[in-house]
Amino acid sequence: MAHYIIKRLLLVVFVMFGVSLLIFTLLYFTPGDPARTILGDDANEEQIAKLREDLGLNDPFWKRYASYVSGVLQGNFGVSYVTGRPVANSIVSRYPTTMRLALLSTLVAVLIALPLGTLSAVYQNSFIDNATRIIALLGVSMPQFWQAILFILLFTLQWGLLPASGSYGPEYWILPSFTIGIHMASTILRITRASMLEVLQQDYILMSKANGTKERLIILRHALKNAMIPIFTIIGLRFGSVLGGSVVAESIFALPGMGKLIVDSIKSRDYPVIQGCILLISISYCLINLVVDILYMYLNPRIREEIGR
């Protein structure tokens, strides 16, 4: 177990190296001049040249990348071109907001998807099943920005029940969490239904029914537990995608999170902030996948035995 976790953590190091090289290369060849963007159109060529020299933008690619990696290994992600603040400070102030939004959205998705997906599989081809599949299809098809605007029109402007922007209390998180959570739930619901249908056809489930075991116990104690492996996979993947893809919700609901920080940094060509944010999101994604794999071992003893060999 410990050997497996150490091996996976070492793989995370190689992944982070690849991610840092990729994002640094893409930003290096991106058209545009950060110095000109920072100083504005009124700056002359001498001012722009001086700022490029101060920021190290005139150095060759390998030197800039080596300097960046050396700083990251020491916990220094650089300094923002725009604000002059350390990138780490900007990330630390924004990361909790995105993580909270991801956790709340995942909670909403799981509370919606697991019961509906289970009911859909148990009552296959019934009215409940058909209605659930339609709900899942609508959730997948509905763009998040349109859903967010619709929520604001209904719950804020029309009914005045919930605030539309900010993060000043629990009520401010309801609309953004449901905006992302409903979209997540659609995918998880479909995977839950498919996984449950497969498990319910297994011989041990049919034998339990033949022995007179209560259907509720069969579903909760046997079927759902064995169906959770692919469900945990999709939950982990979707959770990771929210960390890097919550731009729409954070922008519409004015949440000061990582997604909005990345968008603002791209507009201003603040390369150190972009690199730091993507690197942290990649680390989070890898660690989430590691947690999911560890859960596999507890859910399925066969996987634990194979890893222990």
Side-chain angles (χ1 to χ4, degrees), residues 142-154 175-176 179 248-249 252-253:
M142 190 183 305
Q144 280 193 29
F145 72 90
W146 184 85
Q147 184 180 335
I149 295 173
L150 181 63
F151 280 172
I152 292 174
L153 289 174
L154 291 177
L175 291 184
T179 297
V248 173
I252 293 177
F253 295 104

Side-chain angles (χ1 to χ4, degrees), residues 117-139:
T118 303
L119 289 173
S120 181
V122 172
Y123 300 103
Q124 186 182 9
N125 297 326
S126 65
F127 172 78
I128 295 176
D129 185 24
N130 293 330
T132 301
R133 292 163 70 181
I134 292 174
I135 293 172
L137 181 61
L138 289 175

Side-chain angles (χ1 to χ4, degrees), residues 195-213 217-219 221-228 299-300 302:
S195 183
M196 282 292 294
L197 283 175
E198 181 180 355
V199 171
L200 289 173
Q201 301 300 321
Q202 298 295 321
D203 292 339
Y204 67 91
I205 297 294
L206 300 177
M207 183 64 69
S208 298
K209 291 181 179 179
N211 291 334
T213 306
L217 292 178
I218 294 175
I219 294 171
R221 185 174 298 176
H222 303 294
L224 186 59
K225 180 180 178 181
N226 288 283
M228 286 302 294
L299 290 172
N300 194 330
R302 289 177 297 180

